[in-house]
Amino acid sequence: MFRVGTRGSRLALTQTTLVAEALTAASGMSHELITVRTDGDILTGPLAQMGGTGVFASALRQALFDRTCDVAVHSLKDLPAKDLDGLSIAAVPVREDVRDALCSAGDVPLADLRDGATVGTGSPRRAAQLLAARPDLRVVDIRGNVGTRLARVKGREDAAEVSTQAPDAARGDLDAVVLAGAGLRRLGLEHHISELLEPGIMLPAPGQGALAVEVRAEDVAVGAPLAAALSEYDDVAARLETTAERALLARLNAGCSAPIGGLARFSEDTDGPAVLQLDSMVCAPDGSAVQRARAEVSFSRSAESLQAAVELGTRVAEQLLAEDTGLLAHVIDT
């Protein structure tokens, strides 16, 4: 049997169960879910002020070191960009839709929201890009599980999970919220999506839509009980894309709370080399300035592909740094 660490939210439990069942099917081993409470579940206030990077991951990682669990499942966008000695991201399964989702009163799209509409998000990246697209909006910082956030939207007060919150939790006070489309789909709440925001409007967070299956480094060695199952579960495209995106953040020394977007796309042609393309964006918190960079790399399907992905992420970061007019230093320091 192997033990799988998870946060206690409905979304985390849903994601972790998907991973645990897949590994059980591939390995023939049974599993047990171990709920771990993280700082992100306990603390209140804006994510950036709570430490941002790793606030949801540190307790799960400590559980691996303590051998309380054997596998930890993370939303990859919540992991620090630099790997931790002694641990290994052993699998990145097939990626969900990477786009952010607008959930609005009356299913009004972003372009048609009333002047001065109130839009809730706990993400500086989303807030900055909302203001870049619509400077007239009033962006409100919100926290809580998916249902609690949905219930802030007028007409969606009865969204799932609200009953688990304090009786006086705000409801129906916003015109819209922005959430990850992948999370809504995994929870079966896609009917709340009013519009999936295309990357040209809102570039996703590096790693968005992907899960990271992390284990102790020793447990990926050939012959380790779960090694073969983890290798089988790892998806080539998701691994390459997220490797490039994480390399971008690592070179910028930026965390998941910075208003930085990064999206890699992998494609291959039977008659030619595989191509990995990376788009990136840095946005001033108030949306007043946006800096973008893009590059791509071609390679054959070989052991060199992961290194090529790292180099691509680093190269795009270098482009941003070379063209920077002070925006990067400002957003990374905030």
Side-chain angles (χ1 to χ4, degrees), residues 315-329:
R315 177 151 51 100
V316 171
E318 295 288 358
Q319 289 180 27
L320 290 171
L321 291 166
E323 299 169 6
D324 185 35
T325 59
L327 180 59
L328 267 170

Side-chain angles (χ1 to χ4, degrees), residues 85-227:
D85 288 343
L87 300 181
S88 172
I89 298 176
V92 180
V94 174
R95 200 172 190 179
E96 252 284 7
D97 195 321
V98 301
R99 290 174 292 180
D100 290 292
L102 181 77
C103 306
S104 64
D107 287 324
V108 177
L110 178 63
D112 294 336
L113 288 176
R114 65 179 179 84
D115 288 350
T118 53
V119 183
T121 176
S123 161
R125 174 190 58 83
R126 290 173 181 150
Q129 292 186 91
L130 281 169
L131 292 170
R134 287 283 308 270
D136 62 292
L137 296 178
R138 186 164 69 86
V139 178
V140 178
D141 185 76
I142 60 174
R143 289 291 313 284
N145 60 34
V146 172
T148 303
R149 297 183 189 210
L150 283 172
R152 298 287 299 270
V153 180
K154 296 167 188 172
R156 302 184 191 272
E157 292 87 348
D158 295 328
E161 291 191 313
V162 172
S163 61
T164 66
Q165 300 304 299
D168 59 349
R171 301 188 191 187
D173 60 323
L174 300 176
D175 293 298
V177 296
V178 180
L179 302 167
L184 291 167
R185 290 187 187 281
R186 288 181 180 130
L187 288 172
L189 298 173
E190 58 268 31
H191 57 283
H192 283 289
I193 297 175
S194 305
E195 180 184 12
L196 286 167
L197 301 172
E198 294 300 327
I201 298 295
M202 185 168 290
L203 199 63
Q208 186 159 310
L211 299 177
V213 185
E214 194 170 41
V215 301
R216 291 178 290 274
E218 65 203 58
D219 292 331
V220 295
V222 175
L226 280 175

Side-chain angles (χ1 to χ4, degrees), residues 36-96:
V36 177
R37 202 170 189 197
T38 74
D39 284 347
D41 302 310
I42 300 168
L43 302 176
T44 60
L47 180 60
Q49 294 178 16
M50 291 161 48
T53 305
V55 70
F56 295 114
S58 58
L60 285 170
R61 291 177 140 184
Q62 190 58 50
L64 285 172
F65 283 123
D66 293 342
R67 299 185 178 271
T68 303
C69 65
D70 306 300
V71 177
V73 179
H74 311 276
S75 291
L76 188 52
K77 68 181 178 62
D78 294 333
L79 274 184
K82 295 180 180 178
D83 294 332
L84 202 58
D85 288 343
L87 300 181
S88 172
I89 298 176
V92 180
V94 174
R95 200 172 190 179
E96 252 284 7

Side-chain angles (χ1 to χ4, degrees), residues 233-300:
Y233 196 41
D234 195 40
D235 179 71
V236 171
R239 170 71 74 166
L240 290 171
E241 290 170 1
T242 57
T243 295
E245 292 162 14
R246 284 167 59 78
L248 167 75
L249 281 187
R251 177 62 187 89
L252 295 176
N253 196 30
C256 61
S257 63
I260 294 174
L263 177 62
R265 281 308 194 201
F266 174 75
S267 61
E268 57 182 338
D269 189 327
T270 55
D271 298 325
V275 176
L276 186 65
Q277 178 179 287
L278 175 61
D279 287 276
S280 66
M281 176 281 313
V282 181
C283 192
D286 63 358
S288 59
V290 180
Q291 184 182 349
R292 299 182 185 273
R294 168 190 287 188
E296 66 178 45
V297 63
S298 300
F299 49 81
S300 60

